[in-house]
Amino acid sequence: MKYLPPVIEKMYREKSLDDLDFFAMTNCLDWSQQGDDDLVLEPLIQYLSQWPDEVIFVFEDKMAELLHKLDSPKIARRTYRSDKYFSGDGFLYARCVALINGRAYYQKILDGRKKLDGDREFEAILYAPRKAWARKHRQDPSGYPHTASPDYETGSNQECWKEENLWTEHDLSLGWKLSAPLDWRQEEGDGGETVLYPSQGELTVRITPFHAEKSGKPAPAKVMEQAFLQTIPPQAVVMKPEGYRLAGFRVRFFENRETEGGQSMHHIYAGYFAKGELLSVNVFGRSREECMEAVDILQTLQKRGGQEQG
């Protein structure tokens, strides 16, 4: 057998591949050919085709492992604002995008520091190993003899997709809706306010939608923004969390440490506003960490019909 570089030797002998080495391999893709996925993948296919079959299989298994880790309702909610109503194939192909943007990008998706774009896909990388094998053996890719493990199809990560990890959808007034964990309860307050809270603890989320018109037309978004800002205490600090935007709406976040009933509480204020529309969200909890976990439900916010920002 010809000389094998250390990384390839390890793949061949130990049947293993480190994450860093996997992403070093995908870093060779030719993005000057963007628009033709086969040409983009050509350097990777050519590279894999020169090594023993075991190396190709190990590469595919590492790819499957990385995709499997991203197969979770939490990541689906960030991507589609739902963990139920989306295309399984689309979610798989969106997860493939995380494999071609480097290890740092992948880790941010996995940790929740960045959101997958459900409109971007790169299905073609799934077939790179079989094309490399076919080139090596001058055979049709349909004869590829390996089945990747673990399964990376959407829903295959069964531990993550257990029923208790899925969220329940809640309808709010004025066409708003969002999802929350199964153990959260919903109560309706005055003036269209919805109160959501977990079955245990003192965490509380108060959500109030508003609609306003001026001279028979939706009030300008700036007016709705000012209505929200008037509720924010001067000492509150601006926040810029990622992943909470909503198409058609502008968003403002603030946080403050307050005393309520002699007890210290953390308070996060979120406002979504557009022409004639404002959604005011108040999150109360013992700590910032607790509040930020609750704020995650805003990643599922939806508004029927959408809005204009003007």
Side-chain angles (χ1 to χ4, degrees):
M1 183 181 295
K2 67 179 180 179
Y3 165 77
L4 300 179
V7 170
I8 302 300
E9 177 79 19
K10 182 178 180 180
M11 294 173 71
Y12 179 69
R13 300 294 181 188
E14 301 179 19
K15 306 297 185 290
S16 66
L17 175 62
D18 295 336
D19 290 2
L20 275 175
D21 292 325
F22 174 88
F23 286 109
M25 292 179 184
T26 59
N27 194 43
C28 74
L29 301 187
D30 185 1
W31 291 109
S32 69
Q33 303 293 337
Q34 190 166 2
D36 188 322
D37 292 348
D38 287 336
L39 292 180
V40 170
L41 286 164
E42 175 58 27
L44 177 63
I45 294 171
Q46 179 58 33
Y47 179 74
L48 291 174
S49 69
Q50 65 183 307
W51 307 119
D53 290 359
E54 292 83 354
V55 171
I56 299 174
F57 302 157
V58 168
F59 175 88
E60 185 178 34
D61 286 346
K62 172 55 70 171
M63 178 172 67
E65 174 192 321
L66 294 169
L67 288 171
H68 183 81
K69 287 180 179 179
L70 295 179
D71 178 33
S72 77
K74 190 171 184 179
I75 294 176
R77 284 192 294 268
R78 295 192 194 108
T79 306
Y80 303 106
R81 298 187 172 272
S82 172
D83 57 20
K84 298 180 180 69
Y85 309 114
F86 61 91
S87 163
D89 285 345
F91 186 39
L92 168 59
Y93 305 153
R95 283 183 278 136
C96 289
V97 174
L99 301 184
I100 59 175
N101 280 282
R103 184 171 182 267
Y105 180 95
Y106 174 90
Q107 196 63 44
K108 286 180 180 179
I109 299 294
L110 187 62
D111 295 344
R113 290 176 287 144
K114 193 171 185 64
K115 184 180 77 169
L116 275 179
D117 183 346
D119 293 327
R120 294 181 61 201
E121 301 179 348
F122 200 71
E123 177 188 4
I125 196 171
L126 298 175
Y127 312 114
R130 67 182 57 235
K131 288 183 176 180
W133 176 87
R135 180 174 299 180
K136 173 181 172 62
H137 294 283
R138 298 183 181 179
Q139 294 190 26
D140 190 276
S142 63
Y144 183 63
H146 182 68
T147 299
S149 178
D151 189 351
Y152 50 71
E153 295 292 337
T154 296
S156 63
N157 192 343
Q158 296 179 9
E159 185 64 27
C160 287
W161 287 96
K162 287 181 178 178
E163 185 67 27
E164 58 264 33
N165 294 330
L166 302 180
W167 286 10
T168 301
E169 193 169 272
H170 294 263
D171 289 320
L172 314 178
S173 59
L174 299 180
W176 290 91
K177 64 179 180 179
L178 54 66
S179 297
L182 285 174
D183 69 328
W184 280 44
R185 300 172 182 172
Q186 176 178 347
E187 294 181 0
E188 301 305 321
D190 298 330
E193 179 190 52
T194 296
V195 181
L196 292 168
Y197 56 92
S199 56
Q200 297 182 349
E202 299 183 34
L203 185 66
T204 305
V205 181
R206 296 181 178 275
I207 306 174
T208 310
F210 298 93
H211 176 78
E213 295 186 356
K214 188 174 183 179
S215 302
K217 295 182 179 180
K222 194 66 178 176
V223 171
M224 307 309 291
E225 179 183 14
Q226 288 303 315
F228 168 68
L229 293 177
Q230 288 174 10
T231 68
I232 309 301
Q235 66 271 26
V237 178
V238 173
M239 296 174 62
K240 293 184 178 180
E242 293 187 15
Y244 298 97
R245 298 187 179 279
L246 179 63
F249 286 81
R250 298 174 187 169
V251 184
R252 298 288 299 274
F253 274 76
F254 297 84
E255 63 181 327
N256 190 35
R257 194 71 186 171
E258 303 170 357
T259 300
E260 208 174 89
Q263 295 182 329
S264 180
M265 301 288 288
H266 200 83
H267 189 168
I268 292 179
Y269 310 79
Y272 291 77
F273 46 91
K275 283 184 177 180
E277 302 289 346
L278 166 63
L279 187 76
S280 177
V281 182
N282 290 270
V283 181
F284 304 88
R286 288 293 186 187
S287 67
R288 186 179 194 274
E289 292 71 25
E290 183 181 45
C291 288
M292 286 304 298
E293 288 182 11
V295 166
D296 277 351
I297 68 173
L298 299 184
Q299 294 177 340
T300 69
L301 264 179
Q302 297 183 57
K303 179 71 164 70
R304 281 201 301 268
Q307 300 296 322
E308 297 181 14
Q309 289 191 11

